[in-house]
């Protein structure tokens, strides 16, 4: 316990360029700080986080024999680690540092009230100095990191991350909810702008996953629970019963041929039925059949037809518990459901972009030909309506990023198959931002003759006899309403978070952004980390994006996870709580309150396991005798902050 | 009515914010990053989870002259520490009843759930709370207590570390 008389606090006010200095007088704030208790030196400087700024800190610590440092600058969520490392380098315990947030919490949100902003800065400065005066050195806690990773989601992002980590030598557990991996990318026919066949570039990766010695694939499985913390997660995985013995099934398909049950096919988006015993698509990994027991009639005709005798109606779910060091969330998205928009669900010949993908696919419901659902005829004219479900304050306000490009791709493919077809794209803006995208757009207009009409579609009406559609829209270029008489309307639907996004969120204890996708730790500098250490996010799970960006994020997440796992250990903040056994009365109140079960009774007194304790502080507030203190967030420190904040009230 | 209007004229409420690191503190950061301007009446104290908040922190704030105390954390179900916010909710609801026994208006304790991406919600809450506090007037306890540092002592009379 440092004696008050030995406290020597150094205060630094950062200008942050003009971000802070442009609103408040930083020299005045430094001058004010120099008069606060225990402050030995107070300076202002343009950019404290820069190399010279940090050098100055280190030099001052030596010169003025500082044992506490306060920096008034940006948010600690931004630079607390930077400054902690700087003072650590100068021999001061990194937890003897406090950062006053006078940028995000002051100058940035009170830009036009400099006097009030100055008062707030002074209040926050007193609070930080008061806290610093009560801080004690803390030992850094090191925990081991297991050299295995859990990847939730087997789409292109999950697959890319799995292959990278497995190649690096780590053990990978890849869990996929559906009967096979492949995600959304396997539902696509071609990928823009290269027009690569999606299945052709994806299936080698899928088989790579299936074969890799370091990847344990759990298809048709779900993660039931995750406990623990970075480096030491314990996950329970449930393998759902296929009612088919995987080791015996050879994918021959004889069972499918005899199954009398026809139900809507989710993979084909309702364009084609499947049987109760089914395989999602021919190139599935694992290439095993599954019985949808909800729809199965239990006629057991499949059992008779199956030569390897692979069908087992008594199969049970199997639970497995694994221990991993890191987790990557690559759970993907759902397409926006436009039921009720522009006649979708009512008019047969209004379809979604993803349905068009399935029709264009060689192994899809129509063998590669885009046709009108009402009469299976090739359309002579098509309208693509953009931004369906996106950029709309009534639905989703964000832009789904890929629809401009995929509609362009669809229109080009239609024109390639049938050059005489008229294709119109009704758009607000065309976003062709990626590598090769603008050139793709230019060719789409110039060579393929696709008509780009700038205007929103107001409504779609149907001719009940021909089932043709009349699209009423505005052409902003002509400055008047227009009517397009077409055979087929394609709604370019946006990307939305999956139905189970909240369930998975609670499983992983991560946050979501306002748009519903998972929240990254920092939008610019940490786009694949989450705020939960050890848990990463990649692909559309983090927000709408195209395949190149999803793969880039997957590789980034794999790199983040590999960095932790190869180091083998990670520093965890020592903000755990400690019981003073002398004061503890053994009332057991804290034990029930701890969400991590970190408290146990030893010799009649409560004892906290400092590795299990996550530092929430609930037990501290619960304890009726005040026996528990939380490192770095003690009662004395918080009271000091409150008193300091209100000292000039 | 006229009296209280004069009393409240030019009164700028002081809101003490006791917020959790993962949600509301980050949400306040987001408000700043997005340059959302809101009334300059808030000063924040950061804790890791609102379940750390002893009711005496709120009482001390009111004792020392804060016109309102804003306690804010993660949305129910989203607590970084599983269920800390439920415990906070119970404590604050009870505390709000108790301060009325002491003659303080219940509006002086405000409980909100503001997530890391809800910078604009914090701004809206602050705009509303400042209006509410302006209506009910300054904290009657302000200036009623000698401002000196009170050593925190535990039940046994020993100074708190």
């Amino acid at each position: 316990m440092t004696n008050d008389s030995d406290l020597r606090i150094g205060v630094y006010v950062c200008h942050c360029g003009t971000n802070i200095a442009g609103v408040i007088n930083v020299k005045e704030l430094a001058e004010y700080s120099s008069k606060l208790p225990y402050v030995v030196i107070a300076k202002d400087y343009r950019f404290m986080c820069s190399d010279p700024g940090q050098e100055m800190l280190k030099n001052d610590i030596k010169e003025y024999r500082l044992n506490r440092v306060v920096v008034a600058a940006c948010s600690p969520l931004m630079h607390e680690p930077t400054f902690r490392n700087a003072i650590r380098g100068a021999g001061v315990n990194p937890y003897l540092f406090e950062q006053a947030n006078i940028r995000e919490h002051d100058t940035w949100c009170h830009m036009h009230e400099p006097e009030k902003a100055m008062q707030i800065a002074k209040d926050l400065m007193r609070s930080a100095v008061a806290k610093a005066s009560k801080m004690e050195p803390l030992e850094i806690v090191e925990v081991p990191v297991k050299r295995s990773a859990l990847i939730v989601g087997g789409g292109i992002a999950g697959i890319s991350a799995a292959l990278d980590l497995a190649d690096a030598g780590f053990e990978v557990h890849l869990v996929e909810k559906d009967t096979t991996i492949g995600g959304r990318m396997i539902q696509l026919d071609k990928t823009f702008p290269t027009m690569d066949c999606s299945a052709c570039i994806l299936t080698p990766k899928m088989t790579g996953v299936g074969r890799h010695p370091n990847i344990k694939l759990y298809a048709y499985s779900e993660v039931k629970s995750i406990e623990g913390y970075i480096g030491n997660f314990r996950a329970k995985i449930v393998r759902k019963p296929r009612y088919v013995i995987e080791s015996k099934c050879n994918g021959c398909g004889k069972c499918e041929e005899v199954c009398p049950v026809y139900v809507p096919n989710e993979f084909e988006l309702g364009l084609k039925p499947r049987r109760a015993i089914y395989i999602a698509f021919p190139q599935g990994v694992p290439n095993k059949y599954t019985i949808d027991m909800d729809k199965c009639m239990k006629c057991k005709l499949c059992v008779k037809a199956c030569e390897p005798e692979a069908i087992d109606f008594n199969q049970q779910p199997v639970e497995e518990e694994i221990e991993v060091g890191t987790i990557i969330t690559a759970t993907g998205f759902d397409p926006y459901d436009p039921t009720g928009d522009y006649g979708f669900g009512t008019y047969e010949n209004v379809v979604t972009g993803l349905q068009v993908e399935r029709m264009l696919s060689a192994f899809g419901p129509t063998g590669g030909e885009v046709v009108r659902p009402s009469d299976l005829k090739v359309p002579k004219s098509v309208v693509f309506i953009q931004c369906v479900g996106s950029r709309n304050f009534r639905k989703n306000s964000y832009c789904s990023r890929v629809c401009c490009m995929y509609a362009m791709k669809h229109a080009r493919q239609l024109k390639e198959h049938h050059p005489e077809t008229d294709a119109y794209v009704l758009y607000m803006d065309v976003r062709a931002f990626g590598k090769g995208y603008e050139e793709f757009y230019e060719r789409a207009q110039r060579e393929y003759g696709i008509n780009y009409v700038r205007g929103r579609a107001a409504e779609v009406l149907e001719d009940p006899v021909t089932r043709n559609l009349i699209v009423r829209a505005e052409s902003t270029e002509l400055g008047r309403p227009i009517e397009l008489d077409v055979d087929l309307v394609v709604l370019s639907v946006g990307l939305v978070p999956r139905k189970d996004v909240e369930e998975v969120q609670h499983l992983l204890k991560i946050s979501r952004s306002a748009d519903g996708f998972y929240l990254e730790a920092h939008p610019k500098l940490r786009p694949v980390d989450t705020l939960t250490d050890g848990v990463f996010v990649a692909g559309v799970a983090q927000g709408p994006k195209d395949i190149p960006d999803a793969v880039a994020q997957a590789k980034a997440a794999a790199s983040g996870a590999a960095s932790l796992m190869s180091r083998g250990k990670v520093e965890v903040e020592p903000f755990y709580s400690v019981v003073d056994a002398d004061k503890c009365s053994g009332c057991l109140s804290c034990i029930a309150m701890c969400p991590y079960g970190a408290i146990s009774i030893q010799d009649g007194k409560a004892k906290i396991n400092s590795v299990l304790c996550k530092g929430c502080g609930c037990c501290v507030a619960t304890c009726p005798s005040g026996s528990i203190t939380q490192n770095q967030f003690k009662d004395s420190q918080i009271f000091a902050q409150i008193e300091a904040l209100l000292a000039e009230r | 009515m006229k009296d209280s209007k004069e009393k409240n004229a030019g009164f700028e409420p002081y809101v003490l914010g006791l917020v959790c690191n993962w949600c509301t503190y980050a949400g306040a950061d987001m408000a700043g990053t997005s340059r959302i301007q809101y009334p300059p009446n808030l000063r924040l104290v950061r804790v890791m989870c609102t379940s750390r908040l002893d009711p005496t922190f709120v009482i001390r704030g009111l004792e020392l002259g804060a016109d309102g105390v804003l306690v804010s954390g993660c949305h129910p179900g989203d607590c970084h520490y599983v269920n800390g916010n439920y415990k906070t909710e119970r404590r604050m609801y009870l505390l709000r009843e108790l301060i009325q026994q002491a003659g303080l208006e219940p509006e002086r304790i405000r409980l909100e759930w503001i997530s890391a991406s809800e910078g604009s919600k914090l701004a809206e809450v602050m705009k509303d709370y400042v209006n509410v506090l302006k209506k009910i007037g300054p904290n009657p306890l302000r200036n009623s207590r000698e401002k000196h540092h009170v050593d925190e002592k535990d039940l046994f009379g020993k100074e708190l570390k």
Side-chain angles (χ1 to χ4, degrees):
Chain A
M1 184 61 173
T2 314
N3 280 331
D4 282 0
S5 54
D6 295 334
L7 285 172
R8 298 178 65 80
I9 302 180
V11 173
Y12 298 86
V13 181
C14 186
H15 297 210
C16 194
T18 53
N19 287 306
I20 294 175
V23 179
I24 62 169
N25 185 331
V26 286
K27 291 210 183 301
E28 190 189 318
L29 185 60
E31 171 69 32
Y32 175 83
S33 314
S34 65
K35 304 199 181 74
L36 295 175
Y38 313 114
V39 174
V40 160
I41 178 78
K43 286 183 179 173
D44 62 280
Y45 188 70
R46 276 209 95 205
F47 293 107
M48 282 305 296
C49 54
S50 64
D51 275 345
Q54 294 183 55
E55 275 311 300
M56 174 177 68
L57 264 182
K58 290 186 191 157
N59 292 337
D60 280 10
I61 286 172
K62 276 199 210 83
E63 190 182 328
Y64 298 100
R65 291 172 293 120
L66 302 176
N67 50 32
R68 303 281 187 284
V69 173
V70 171
V71 172
C74 52
S75 170
L77 296 185
M78 173 116 277
H79 272 310
E80 196 170 48
T82 316
F83 296 123
R84 280 197 183 142
N85 268 335
I87 70 174
R88 192 171 169 178
V92 174
N93 185 289
Y95 298 102
L96 297 174
F97 168 77
E98 178 72 359
Q99 188 163 344
N101 186 339
I102 60 171
R103 189 182 73 170
E104 278 87 336
H105 289 182
D106 189 17
T107 60
W108 269 356
C109 46
H110 308 310
M111 290 193 291
H112 311 297
E113 299 186 76
E115 277 153 30
K116 303 246 170 82
M118 187 63 184
Q119 183 57 52
I120 292 182
K122 287 181 177 168
D123 294 343
L124 292 175
M125 178 63 83
R126 287 194 314 272
S127 168
V129 170
K131 173 143 184 193
S133 71
K134 299 275 185 198
M135 279 167 153
E136 290 301 314
L138 295 171
E139 280 309 301
I140 293 155
V141 176
E142 234 177 39
V143 295
V145 176
K146 293 210 160 56
R147 294 175 62 90
S148 54
L150 166 65
I151 300 182
V152 185
I156 181 63
I159 289 171
S160 301
L163 288 170
D164 271 15
L165 283 175
D167 284 342
F170 300 106
E171 184 185 54
V172 177
H173 301 265
L174 179 57
V175 180
E176 166 56 50
K177 202 172 196 178
D178 273 334
T179 55
T180 150
I181 56 176
R184 294 277 169 212
M185 190 174 163
I186 199 73
Q187 285 182 297
L188 307 180
D189 173 40
K190 295 203 169 24
T191 56
F192 56 76
T194 51
M195 298 309 247
D196 280 311
C197 154
S198 183
C200 305
I201 56 176
L202 181 56
T203 45
K205 288 194 183 284
M206 286 165 56
T207 44
V209 164
R211 257 189 234 130
H212 207 297
N214 287 341
I215 300 180
K216 195 159 176 212
L217 176 59
Y218 304 73
Y220 207 48
S221 307
E222 285 180 40
V223 180
K224 197 163 107 171
S225 69
I226 299 179
E227 277 172 18
Y229 50 92
I230 180 179
N232 306 274
F233 293 106
R234 264 181 338 277
K236 279 208 185 82
I237 302 174
V238 174
R239 284 189 192 268
K240 300 183 281 195
R242 290 182 192 259
Y243 306 103
V244 168
I245 303 167
E246 282 193 29
S247 52
K248 291 194 178 159
C249 172
N250 58 20
C252 69
K254 297 228 169 62
C255 53
E256 193 176 22
E257 285 168 28
V258 302
C259 178
V261 177
Y262 285 74
V263 289
N265 186 334
E266 304 87 353
F267 186 82
E268 304 290 4
L269 303 158
L271 293 172
K272 179 174 148 179
R274 61 162 171 85
R275 314 297 176 98
I277 187 165
Y278 69 104
I279 211 166
F281 51 88
Q283 309 93 327
V285 170
N287 201 12
K288 312 285 175 191
Y289 274 78
T290 307
I291 300 182
D292 181 354
M293 209 36 98
D294 290 335
K295 310 284 196 308
C296 172
M297 267 174 30
K298 326 263 191 312
C299 63
K300 311 251 175 112
L301 284 169
C302 51
V303 179
K304 281 204 208 91
C306 180
E307 277 172 39
E309 290 178 9
I311 300 186
D312 175 10
F313 273 74
N314 297 316
Q315 213 175 59
Q316 295 298 316
V318 174
E319 225 179 74
E320 261 181 71
E321 200 175 284
I322 57 167
E323 289 182 357
V324 293
T326 54
I327 302 176
I328 299 180
T329 316
T331 45
F333 66 97
D334 277 337
Y336 169 77
D337 179 2
T339 304
D341 296 337
Y342 301 116
F344 182 80
T346 317
Y347 307 148
E348 270 187 276
N349 292 328
V350 175
V351 295
T352 66
L354 201 54
Q355 287 178 318
V356 167
E357 283 284 356
R358 290 313 307 147
M359 287 200 266
L360 285 165
S361 169
F363 60 91
T366 57
E369 191 74 86
V370 175
V371 294
R372 284 151 51 92
S374 64
D375 52 16
L376 301 181
K377 288 211 177 75
V378 171
K380 293 192 221 54
S381 51
V382 183
V383 165
F384 293 86
I385 301 179
Q386 299 303 107
C387 302
V388 176
S390 311
R391 305 183 69 198
N392 183 335
F393 68 85
R394 283 200 200 92
K395 313 277 180 188
N396 302 300
S397 50
Y398 56 84
C399 164
S400 290
R401 207 166 155 116
V402 297
C403 330
C404 283
M405 291 309 297
Y406 80 56
M408 216 182 280
K409 169 187 69 171
H410 292 161
R412 273 175 60 144
Q413 285 181 281
L414 276 177
K415 290 291 255 187
E416 262 167 24
H417 294 181
H418 300 279
E420 71 287 356
T421 306
D422 283 329
Y424 300 90
V425 178
L426 278 172
Y427 71 99
M428 291 199 280
D429 299 281
V430 174
R431 289 164 174 188
F433 55 89
K435 202 164 183 175
Y437 291 12
E438 182 63 29
E439 295 86 337
F440 193 86
Y441 176 38
E442 218 248 331
R443 277 189 72 192
Q445 294 180 86
R446 203 170 27 84
E447 269 181 47
Y448 289 80
I450 298 162
N451 299 302
Y452 271 81
V453 179
R454 186 168 169 271
R456 295 207 65 168
E459 59 175 345
V460 173
L461 306 166
E462 191 195 39
D463 178 327
V465 175
T466 60
R467 300 262 189 235
N468 286 358
L469 300 141
I470 301 154
V471 179
R472 289 203 177 134
E474 180 202 359
S475 163
T476 58
E477 291 144 334
L478 296 173
R480 60 171 171 80
I482 57 170
E483 235 177 55
L484 293 164
D485 238 307
V486 292
D487 293 350
L488 181 71
V489 167
V490 181
L491 302 178
S492 294
V493 292
L495 314 185
V496 298
R498 288 175 58 108
K499 280 192 215 63
D500 58 10
V501 71
E502 219 180 302
E503 215 183 286
V504 175
Q505 174 193 10
H506 292 148
L507 193 64
L508 295 158
K509 301 210 195 27
I510 56 181
S511 308
R512 290 195 286 147
S513 335
D515 58 13
F517 293 98
Y518 297 120
L519 182 67
E520 61 288 313
H522 188 277
K524 293 233 179 292
L525 302 176
R526 299 178 66 199
V528 294
D529 295 19
T530 64
L531 286 167
T532 306
D533 290 331
V535 180
F536 301 87
V537 62
V540 182
Q542 183 264 347
K545 55 180 65 70
D546 51 10
I547 292 167
D549 288 346
V551 172
Q553 279 202 341
K555 284 170 165 287
S559 158
S563 156
L564 287 172
M565 294 188 291
S566 69
R567 232 183 300 153
K569 52 189 160 108
V570 70
E571 287 174 1
V572 165
E573 287 185 325
F575 300 159
Y576 52 84
S577 300
V578 181
V579 177
D580 182 340
D582 289 337
K583 295 184 192 171
C584 171
S585 63
C587 71
L588 309 182
S589 306
C590 54
I591 298 189
M593 293 293 252
C594 177
Y596 300 99
I599 313 182
S600 57
I601 282 283
Q602 274 185 34
D603 301 322
K605 306 290 177 113
K607 184 151 161 62
I608 299 176
N609 178 325
S610 60
V611 178
L612 288 179
C613 173
K614 296 288 126 260
C616 68
C618 182
C619 54
V620 185
T622 304
C623 178
S625 48
S627 323
I628 313 184
T629 41
Q630 183 186 5
N631 284 345
Q632 200 76 333
F633 294 94
K634 303 181 184 167
D635 280 354
S636 58
Q637 291 166 343
I638 298 174
F639 277 124
Q641 285 181 287
I642 294 174
E643 283 159 19
L645 280 177
L646 289 160
E648 284 182 8
R649 186 80 184 120
Chain B
M1 271 315 281
K2 193 167 172 231
D3 262 332
S4 66
K5 267 213 186 120
E6 275 174 9
K7 192 168 60 164
N8 295 356
F11 155 56
E12 276 304 325
Y14 186 115
V15 179
L16 173 70
L18 304 172
V19 301
C20 84
N21 175 70
W22 303 99
C23 283
T24 306
Y25 194 92
D29 275 4
M30 164 134 321
T33 314
S34 317
R35 310 294 195 278
I36 300 175
Q37 305 298 299
Y38 57 89
N41 299 65
L42 180 67
R43 281 87 166 155
L44 294 180
V45 173
R46 171 169 76 139
V47 288
M48 296 312 283
C49 177
T50 50
S51 62
R52 172 70 188 86
L53 297 172
D54 196 313
T56 43
F57 297 157
V58 178
I59 293 173
R60 175 54 57 90
L62 291 170
E63 261 186 330
L64 293 176
D67 298 298
V69 177
L70 174 67
V71 173
S72 182
C74 309
H75 287 261
D78 292 345
C79 176
H80 187 86
Y81 303 97
V82 187
N83 52 21
N85 44 12
Y86 291 111
K87 297 154 189 169
T88 312
E89 190 178 50
R90 295 196 296 246
R91 289 174 187 148
M92 292 306 131
Y93 279 13
L94 185 56
L95 186 61
R96 212 166 31 207
E97 294 302 307
L98 292 176
I99 62 166
Q100 288 174 72
Q101 304 281 317
L104 286 176
E105 301 88 330
E107 289 89 345
R108 300 207 183 271
I109 298 180
R110 182 151 170 165
L111 184 61
E112 288 287 343
W113 307 123
I114 298 174
S115 79
S117 53
E118 288 181 312
S120 47
K121 182 170 176 188
L122 176 68
E124 288 311 308
V125 165
M126 275 312 294
K127 284 188 194 127
D128 181 65
Y129 200 27
V130 166
N131 280 338
V132 164
L133 290 172
K134 278 186 173 161
K135 272 202 207 82
I136 64 174
N139 182 343
L141 293 179
R142 188 178 160 192
N143 297 325
S144 68
R145 193 179 142 97
E146 205 190 310
K147 212 77 59 65
H148 62 267
H149 172 70
V150 176
D151 280 332
E152 282 317 298
K153 290 190 167 46
D154 60 23
L155 285 182
F156 304 86
K158 281 208 304 216
E159 203 187 299
L160 271 182
K161 299 217 190 323

